[in-house]
Amino acid sequence: MTQYCKPLCLALAVAACFSSSPLVHAQDAQSQVLITAARQPQVAKDVLADNVVITAEQIHLSGATSIVDLLQQQRGIEISRTGGSGSVASVFIRGAANSQSVVFVDGVRIGSSTTGGATWSSIPLSQIERIEIVYGPLSSLYGADAMGGVIQLFTKKSGPQSRTSLNFGIGSNHLRKFEAGIFGSSANDFQYSLNTAKESSDGFSASKPGSGAFTYNADKDGYTQKSFNGNLAWKLMPELTLGVNFVQSTLDVDFDAGPSYQDRGQQKFDNVATFAKAKFAPNWNSSLQLSRNTDRVYTDASYGKGNADTKQRGWTWQNDVTFGKDVLQFVFEDREEDVRTNTAGISGKRDTKSYALAYTMKQDAHLASLSGRVDDSSQYGKHTTGSIAYGYKLTEVLRVNASYGTSFRAPTFNELYYPGFGVASNRPELGKNAEAGLFYDDNVWQLSAVYYQNRITDLLVSTNPCPVEVATHRYGCAYNVNKATLSGFTLGASARLGQWNVRGTMDIQDPTDDTTGKRLARRAKQHGSLGVDYRMGDLTLGAESVFSGERFDDVANRNRLAGYGILNLIATYKVSPSWLLLARWNNVADKEYELARHYRTPESNFYLGLSYGFK
């Protein structure tokens, strides 16, 4: 770890590691409700899975221009990115790869079936009002790829009162942001929301000279993103509600692939879900969702033009039956993935039918959950996963947890069919995770400490030479040859002390490829964050720091990425009950660091925003 990082880590240890989300009121945490951890609403203090919630207020006051920037500040999460906002990014949850975690938007699974995982740059933060992060394997609830965790994004929706919102922002590199929305409801139980946004920046050159002649270009790599989302819901009768959620985004972005061409790409994100929620009996709630998601990537580069489209269509029928404080849940799902690319051999479809059963118990000081799921794919066959968790309240403010769960990741279409690389017989990766945690919450202080160990077998890696059965792949191939262990401690806490909010996180982990003994690429052994803010009437002043130890850019651990620590300053002022002014100074010390080798990260930069109607 670099010299910069050591004092920050020492300070964090002394402070007992505070929680990362900015401007959190500790006394609000117990009343928060989570949906993702059990596919049903749960009060935060009863959630057995380790989790983080990022609220609408925290998103709004963060001044972040991308979801990845916001996630980087959270416990248990690291990122890599080849440039600034709009560039290719990956999110690692507890050391798991981007393809080993699942992302949902309003209950709809999103992502690319060619590369695996979410295409983060295409998801507009301007349309998101809440984020739930649940750590650990959740394949027994959500199926394939939920090995490291699940992130669910909730788009902006209406509330009980009608309102209009406006947001304006400017920043370094000619950053310009505009957002407008209307939200409301009528007397006849009709709710509506419509929100539109545009964001653009001239950017900076993403690549460095060391990236080589086939990558480096000194030109600026800017982007423009246009997006909108809407929500319509009708309560036809007390027992029946119908609705639709939709969000769409188009991102035009420049990137570097050599000096002789203006390389550019376009990413389109389209998400639609129609739903019906019914109450069949006083203790039986049922919901049916029909969904469609499109992840479309087009590139025009010096090496040629290309496209990769993933369309996911599906339906989910979920039923929750309560017995006192206990809930029995059964879920039926069908999801079709349709891949279309201009690369011969990759295009195709696969269909997965799933059945899941879960039970959550709450009896006095005892909390427990049990779940199981069967996923039957037309491509890679049938897989069964399960999970069991138990929590015991030692006191009203102190709880211990323990859990065990299995998971799997489906091979991507690239790992199966890409010419000269994919192997059609590749199998899903398999995971077994055990963890134990301690949680304290007295409405002033929140403390958490979790140890986890996630063992992954049949790890799909790029190997060279290839096995005999695919010896024709002369330059390497994807194959199930390795094992990995993702283990570590994740620590966090937060407190509100008068007008002061303090917070921080610390992750001490060992993400290792057990076959080679090497650390997994772009993962640090230590990373964390610190933050503090002070409120003086309508004025709030804050500071936050994100830091990480050294990482390696490659699986052989030859190319080192130095550790880093960056400091950001934030100020907000409530001009009136409806108007709020926000100012951020990011990377105050102008720290030069890398999240991917030979790619730049933002220098010291500012953001100034003015918003109306935020509630």
Side-chain angles (χ1 to χ4, degrees):
M1 185 173 293
T2 65
Q3 185 177 2
Y4 191 108
C5 189
K6 287 180 179 177
L8 289 174
C9 293
L10 179 60
L12 185 68
V14 173
C17 309
F18 306 100
S19 167
S20 65
S21 297
L23 303 173
V24 173
H25 296 178
Q27 61 262 45
D28 295 339
Q30 285 193 342
S31 60
Q32 285 185 346
V33 174
L34 280 80
I35 297 173
T36 310
R39 297 188 68 130
Q40 59 177 295
Q42 288 183 299
V43 178
K45 64 180 180 179
D46 295 333
V47 176
L48 290 172
D50 192 17
N51 67 84
V52 165
V53 175
I54 308 174
T55 66
E57 180 187 21
Q58 295 160 16
I59 294 173
H60 183 73
L61 298 179
S62 72
T65 57
S66 72
I67 293 175
V68 171
D69 290 328
L70 197 61
L71 293 177
Q72 186 184 19
Q73 302 175 29
Q74 310 308 316
R75 175 166 53 86
I77 290 185
E78 298 173 274
I79 70 168
S80 70
R81 187 163 59 189
T82 57
S85 296
S87 59
V88 176
S90 293
V91 172
F92 309 123
I93 303 180
R94 286 187 177 178
N98 193 65
S99 60
Q100 292 173 327
S101 298
V102 176
V103 181
F104 289 86
V105 174
D106 292 334
V108 179
R109 182 174 174 142
I110 68 170
S112 168
S113 296
T114 55
T115 59
T119 306
W120 289 101
S121 54
S122 68
I123 309 171
L125 178 60
S126 57
Q127 306 299 344
I128 305 301
E129 72 171 359
R130 178 182 172 88
I131 301 175
E132 294 182 2
I133 307 168
V134 183
Y135 302 92
L138 277 86
S139 285
S140 60
L141 291 176
Y142 294 107
D145 310 332
M147 303 184 84
V150 169
I151 298 176
Q152 179 143 212
L153 313 172
F154 297 89
T155 57
K156 295 179 178 179
K157 296 178 177 64
S158 60
Q161 296 180 342
S162 298
R163 65 183 177 91
T164 300
S165 69
L166 295 171
N167 289 285
F168 310 88
I170 58 172
S172 300
N173 300 313
H174 291 93
L175 172 65
R176 299 166 294 276
K177 294 175 65 176
F178 171 76
E179 180 185 338
I182 56 173
F183 308 85
S185 59
S186 64
N188 58 353
D189 294 320
F190 171 70
Q191 290 188 331
Y192 62 90
S193 67
L194 295 171
N195 196 72
T196 184
K198 180 180 179 180
E199 179 181 319
S200 63
S201 172
D202 293 348
F204 53 87
S205 180
S207 60
K208 295 181 176 181
S211 59
F214 296 104
T215 299
Y216 177 64
N217 191 328
D219 68 337
K220 291 185 177 181
D221 298 308
Y223 69 91
T224 298
Q225 186 171 45
K226 300 176 183 178
S227 62
F228 70 90
N229 96 84
N231 167 257
L232 306 173
W234 298 266
K235 192 171 184 179
L236 301 182
M237 58 184 71
E239 298 83 14
L240 178 62
T241 299
L242 303 179
V244 59
N245 300 319
F246 54 90
V247 58
Q248 194 275 335
S249 170
T250 299
L251 172 69
D252 293 296
V253 61
D254 299 329
F255 64 97
D256 290 340
S260 60
Y261 199 81
Q262 185 180 354
D263 308 287
R264 56 191 181 274
Q266 185 179 82
Q267 300 173 11
K268 288 193 173 183
F269 173 81
D270 187 11
N271 201 69
V272 180
T274 57
F275 61 87
K277 298 180 180 179
K279 198 175 188 69
F280 291 153
N283 68 329
W284 182 3
N285 292 306
S286 182
S287 64
L288 177 65
Q289 177 177 271
L290 307 177
S291 63
R292 185 201 70 201
N293 173 263
T294 301
D295 181 292
R296 179 171 297 164
V297 177
Y298 169 80
T299 56
D300 180 1
S302 57
Y303 50 76
K305 298 180 180 180
N307 68 277
D309 300 346
T310 297
K311 291 184 179 180
Q312 299 189 64
R313 305 179 187 88
W315 58 265
T316 301
W317 182 34
Q318 178 172 322
N319 297 269
D320 298 329
V321 182
T322 60
F323 301 94
K325 296 180 179 180
D326 299 355
V327 180
L328 174 66
Q329 179 183 97
F330 50 100
V331 178
F332 304 93
E333 287 186 341
D334 184 73
R335 180 169 64 99
E336 179 191 75
E337 300 166 77
D338 185 357
V339 171
R340 292 290 178 263
T341 80
N342 66 333
T343 302
I346 298 182
S347 298
K349 296 182 181 181
R350 65 183 175 195
D351 184 79
T352 303
K353 293 179 172 59
S354 307
Y355 319 89
L357 186 67
Y359 192 86
T360 57
M361 182 200 79
K362 181 182 177 182
Q363 299 292 336
D364 300 322
H366 303 275
L367 301 170
S369 67
L370 179 68
S371 59
R373 178 174 170 128
V374 176
D375 291 277
D376 191 359
S377 169
S378 61
Q379 186 183 68
Y380 53 81
K382 185 178 294 186
H383 284 267
T384 301
T385 52
S387 177
I388 185 170
Y390 174 74
Y392 181 75
K393 296 181 180 179
L394 299 172
T395 69
E396 285 299 314
V397 298
L398 182 64
R399 190 186 77 210
V400 292
N401 282 5
S403 65
Y404 176 83
T406 60
S407 61
F408 75 100
R409 178 180 81 85
T412 67
F413 277 66
N414 283 355
E415 290 167 333
L416 291 166
Y417 307 124
Y418 197 92
F421 177 76
V423 178
S425 60
N426 277 334
R427 305 178 303 279
E429 298 175 344
L430 304 176
K432 296 180 180 180
N433 180 83
E435 61 185 81
L438 186 67
F439 301 87
Y440 177 88
D441 188 345
D442 66 359
N443 286 336
V444 176
W445 284 90
Q446 289 177 284
L447 305 170
S448 66
V450 177
Y451 175 77
Y452 60 91
Q453 185 178 76
N454 196 353
R455 295 188 179 275
I456 300 174
T457 57
D458 284 334
L459 185 68
L460 281 160
V461 298
S462 178
T463 182
N464 193 11
C466 294
V468 175
E469 56 267 37
V470 285
T472 54
H473 291 13
R474 295 182 297 170
Y475 303 105
C477 62
Y479 207 67
N480 300 101
V481 294
N482 286 23
K483 299 179 181 180
T485 300
L486 312 176
S487 62
F489 288 93
T490 179
L491 310 170
S494 67
R496 186 181 185 189
L497 308 172
Q499 300 303 107
W500 292 89
N501 287 314
V502 288
R503 57 196 179 272
T505 69
M506 186 68 191
D507 281 88
I508 305 170
Q509 60 181 10
D510 188 19
T512 301
D513 185 326
D514 295 331
T515 303
T516 64
K518 303 293 185 180
R519 196 190 315 170
L520 296 177
R522 298 180 180 175
R523 278 79 142 187
K525 285 201 169 185
Q526 306 96 2
H527 64 91
S529 64
L530 284 169
V532 61
D533 62 77
Y534 180 72
R535 295 194 175 194
M536 299 178 290
D538 293 329
L539 177 66
T540 300
L541 301 175
E544 63 189 24
S545 177
V546 177
F547 51 90
S548 172
E550 68 171 13
R551 295 135 294 134
F552 294 98
D553 195 62
D554 60 324
V555 296
N557 289 183
R558 295 191 182 99
N559 300 313
R560 177 178 174 270
L561 299 174
Y564 66 90
I566 56 174
L567 174 66
N568 307 320
L569 300 178
I570 314 103
T572 63
Y573 181 68
K574 197 168 186 179
V575 181
S576 72
S578 298
W579 289 94
L580 182 74
L581 186 65
L582 165 71
R584 279 186 66 95
W585 184 8
N586 300 311
N587 194 4
V588 172
D590 200 19
K591 175 70 175 179
E592 184 178 345
Y593 63 102
E594 293 181 333
L595 296 172
R597 190 169 183 244
H598 297 316
Y599 284 94
R600 290 187 172 91
T601 50
E603 300 175 343
S604 182
N605 63 90
F606 77 91
Y607 174 77
L608 182 65
L610 180 65
S611 62
Y612 169 81
F614 174 77
K615 301 294 184 182

